Amino acid sequence: MSMEYEHQLMAMQISPADAHGTTPGKEQQAAGVGILLQIMMLVLSFVLGHVLRRHKFYYLPEASASLLIGLIVGGLANISNTETNIRTWFNFHEEFFFLFLLPPIILYPNFPSGFSLSPKPFFSNFGAIVTFAILGTLISSVVTGILVYLGGLIYLTYRLPFVECLMFGALISATDPVTVLSIFQELGTDMNLYALVFGESVLNDAMAISLYRTMSLVRSHASSGQNFFMVIVRFLETFVGSMSAGVGVGFTSALLFKYAGLDIDNLQNLECCLFVLFPYFSYMLAEGLGLSGIVSILFTGIVMKHYTYSNLSENSQRFVSSFFHLISSLAETFVFIYMGFDIAMEQHSWSHVGFIFFSIIFIGVARAANVFSCAYLVNLVRPAHRQIPLKHQQALWYSGLRGAMAFALALQSVHDLPEGHGQTIFTATTAIVVLTVLLIGGSTGTMLEALQVVGDGLEGTLGESFEGNNGYIAPSYNEEASSGNRIKMKLKEFHQSTASFTALDRNYLTPFFTSQNGDEVEELDEPMPSSARGGFQGHGQHSR
């Protein structure tokens, strides 16, 4: 801008922003309108979700309804003459998603789930959960990447380099079964199945992000020999480093709350504030060190739930549980609205329909390879009465919806990959997310009834899981291993080592990091009658 032009504007008392038609007042008004529309859509989603739940209409779950609201409003904004500065408030920014929306979603299962899901089925199935989430996600990513690459070689799909196919396999392996879990709770299903689906979803996101970032780093190197070595080293560095940071922060918080004497009435606000800040500190610490904040905050949440939480006063326990439930509900609903709006507003590359169609088939095959192979390995370890039944495996396969995590990573791939490649992956992921959330999410109730895994209610099914012989809760190592089956023997030895860790935790870690002893923990893990269990939601793990 010339000096003469600036002097003219000053003489007319017009700012340069006014000359271009974007005054600060206009920007503030646009921001207000944008935020108002977001709040209105959130209110509509919560009200609609409540109405659907109340009338037991399972064909349109809450997440699907939120996504549809975002799609409809985004479509209307796209065809209308909505101002650009208002529409920018609805753009899906992956940084905003990873930094602000994802942490509470990752954290929430570690706290209220301790009430809605009894600790015993979750931790008794922890080995299976880790197998599905880590080994299974790796299998799913590699199988998807290989199938997409082979499809490109024989001209079935759009051809991508092998490393980019693996990046696509990693991001599309991130499951988001929010819809399925909500229907599980409404209809009532076996608690072991619920624990497996829930536990896999918690760990799966961390694994998918680590794999995606590792493959993205590998892509920048040319030598294949160096690539393979770097994949292993970089992945271990990221995952183990992030896990160590998260566990370290969690243990530090446990010792602080044990010895600082914060559990008195006039310090309750300070106690709650510190408890809420520690997980986010872990997240930012890992991100600042170039590690994975999601992996770090996940393990911080697990450690804090197991150790730090029991050092809180009863009032603080109730508050932090309600707080994490609140912000998680807001974040999850906002993510699906946000995602739907952005899907309608973004420019998509629909020229490669074959890539989308075959990708859907490939991820179904990869999900099957994940679930059934991991279930086979888990069943090798378990005695007959603790086997994961085939109908639960089929339900696990069907529950692999794709959601916000896959969408955010796909949006990031648009910046990470060459023009055209990232756009194709983003369009395919968008189509997969919409189809799985709307179609699979809406048909989950029918699937549960067809597989006959629906109980009279979640609590009743939980009681049967503990008392009946068909559940797979209590560990048992009395069965003899078949002769000559070395793999089974090794797996049994590994399974027994988890029991050794449980004893270590009960005898040493819990007394050191909490004000409880091992006997108290055992009593807390005992199953409770239904009447007591219903009131458990509002109380802490122990009385002070």
Side-chain angles (χ1 to χ4, degrees):
M1 185 182 298
S2 66
M3 292 294 294
E4 182 180 355
Y5 180 56
E6 286 186 353
H7 286 309
Q8 290 176 353
L9 291 176
M10 291 175 63
M12 298 170 60
Q13 295 184 336
I14 299 176
S15 69
D18 291 329
H20 295 291
T22 56
T23 64
K26 276 270 190 183
E27 288 293 328
Q28 188 173 355
Q29 183 183 10
V33 172
I35 294 172
L36 175 63
L37 288 175
Q38 292 172 356
I39 293 173
M40 289 173 61
M41 287 192 289
L42 278 171
V43 171
L44 179 60
S45 295
F46 283 120
V47 173
L48 181 59
H50 171 71
V51 171
L52 292 172
R53 260 201 325 273
R54 189 172 181 179
H55 291 84
K56 297 184 178 181
F57 187 79
Y58 301 120
Y59 296 103
L60 187 65
E62 291 176 74
S64 303
S66 301
L67 183 68
L68 277 178
I69 289 171
L71 282 169
I72 292 170
V73 175
L76 292 175
N78 209 17
I79 61 177
S80 67
N81 195 22
T82 307
E83 293 184 27
T84 305
N85 50 2
I86 295 177
R87 292 167 61 173
T88 54
W89 278 88
F90 291 91
N91 290 339
F92 192 100
H93 300 287
E94 58 271 24
E95 296 88 357
F96 178 69
F97 171 76
F98 283 116
L99 291 177
F100 296 104
L101 297 180
L102 190 58
I105 296 173
I106 292 290
L107 266 180
Y108 164 64
N110 289 301
F111 296 99
S113 66
F115 314 118
S116 61
L117 173 64
S118 176
K120 203 153 192 174
F122 179 77
F123 288 107
S124 294
N125 290 289
F126 192 71
I129 289 169
V130 171
T131 303
F132 282 113
I134 296 181
L135 178 61
T137 304
L138 180 62
I139 292 172
S140 180
S141 301
V142 172
V143 170
T144 302
I146 290 174
L147 289 177
V148 169
Y149 181 71
L150 292 177
L153 288 181
I154 60 176
Y155 302 105
L156 279 177
T157 65
Y158 182 69
R159 186 169 180 177
L160 294 172
F162 183 61
V163 176
E164 294 180 13
C165 291
L166 291 177
M167 290 175 67
F168 175 65
L171 70 88
I172 207 63
S173 296
T175 60
D176 190 8
V178 173
T179 301
V180 175
L181 290 175
S182 65
I183 296 176
F184 277 10
Q185 288 179 320
E186 293 289 332
L187 295 179
T189 188
D190 187 272
M191 282 301 292
N192 297 286
L193 174 60
Y194 185 91
L196 288 175
V197 175
F198 156 77
E200 183 201 8
S201 69
V202 171
L203 291 170
N204 167 273
D205 286 348
M207 184 70 178
I209 290 176
S210 297
L211 284 173
Y212 176 84
R213 290 182 176 177
T214 301
M215 293 302 162
S216 180
L217 185 69
V218 167
R219 180 182 163 273
S220 60
H221 293 74
S223 171
S224 59
Q226 288 181 348
N227 283 352
F228 180 74
F229 178 73
M230 189 176 12
V231 168
I232 298 173
V233 172
R234 179 59 182 165
F235 177 76
L236 290 176
E237 175 189 335
T238 302
F239 197 86
V240 176
S242 304
M243 181 180 66
S244 302
V247 170
V249 172
F251 280 139
T252 302
S253 70
L255 291 174
L256 173 67
F257 282 93
K258 180 180 179 179
Y259 293 110
L262 299 173
D263 56 337
I264 55 179
D265 291 339
N266 60 343
L267 290 179
Q268 182 182 331
N269 289 340
L270 175 61
E271 187 181 33
C272 295
C273 289
L274 288 175
F275 191 91
V276 170
L277 288 174
F278 261 102
Y280 210 75
F281 170 77
S282 169
Y283 184 91
M284 289 304 176
L285 174 66
E287 290 292 327
L289 295 174
L291 302 172
S292 172
I294 297 302
V295 177
S296 181
I297 200 174
L298 169 64
F299 282 97
T300 298
I302 291 173
V303 172
M304 290 184 71
K305 170 63 173 74
H306 194 56
Y307 300 105
T308 313
Y309 186 82
S310 60
N311 291 330
L312 297 177
S313 62
E314 286 187 9
N315 289 336
S316 295
Q317 287 180 350
R318 285 193 289 270
F319 172 81
V320 297
S321 298
S322 301
F323 177 78
F324 283 125
H325 189 185
L326 169 66
I327 61 172
S328 175
S329 298
L330 285 171
E332 282 180 353
T333 305
F334 186 71
V335 161
F336 280 99
I337 294 173
Y338 201 32
M339 189 165 56
F341 195 96
D342 199 70
I343 288 171
M345 300 288 288
E346 282 283 340
Q347 296 295 321
H348 296 280
S349 174
W350 298 106
S351 57
H352 303 291
V353 180
F355 185 87
I356 299 171
F357 175 76
F358 284 104
S359 292
I360 295 172
I361 297 175
F362 293 158
I363 65 171
V365 173
R367 178 70 180 169
N370 166 358
V371 170
F372 296 114
S373 62
C374 289
Y376 174 77
L377 291 175
V378 171
N379 285 341
L380 281 178
V381 178
R382 295 183 166 187
H385 69 280
R386 297 190 65 234
Q387 302 278 304
I388 301 177
L390 180 60
K391 61 184 181 180
H392 286 192
Q393 297 176 36
Q394 292 169 339
L396 268 170
W397 174 78
Y398 198 83
S399 302
L401 280 72
R402 272 59 181 177
M405 178 62 72
F407 182 81
L409 290 174
L411 191 59
Q412 187 172 322
S413 73
V414 175
H415 309 296
D416 294 341
L417 299 179
E419 186 177 355
H421 295 190
Q423 198 65 39
T424 301
I425 287 176
F426 176 65
T427 302
T429 305
T430 297
I432 291 167
V433 167
V434 173
L435 287 174
T436 57
V437 170
L438 296 182
L439 297 183
I440 296 180
S443 60
T444 299
T446 306
M447 176 270 295
L448 291 175
E449 292 174 355
L451 293 176
Q452 298 180 338
V453 293
V454 177
D456 295 331
L458 202 58
E459 293 181 357
T461 311
L462 173 61
E464 292 169 9
S465 297
F466 282 115
E467 297 166 10
N469 292 325
N470 295 326
Y472 37 98
I473 291 294
S476 171
Y477 307 108
N478 296 327
E479 289 200 355
E480 293 293 329
S482 58
S483 58
N485 193 340
R486 295 183 179 179
I487 296 177
K488 189 171 182 178
M489 286 293 294
K490 291 292 184 184
L491 289 172
K492 275 186 173 289
E493 290 173 7
F494 176 75
H495 199 188
Q496 287 173 336
S497 69
T498 61
S500 301
F501 176 78
T502 303
L504 174 68
D505 174 50
R506 183 177 63 250
N507 296 326
Y508 299 101
L509 295 180
T510 297
F512 182 76
F513 287 105
T514 74
S515 53
Q516 297 176 337
N517 57 45
D519 296 334
E520 288 175 331
V521 175
E522 284 294 306
E523 290 174 6
L524 293 172
D525 285 343
E526 288 301 312
M528 299 161 48
S530 297
S531 58
R533 197 180 302 119
F536 187 44
Q537 186 164 356
H539 297 281
Q541 290 183 348
H542 71 292
S543 297
R544 284 192 175 272

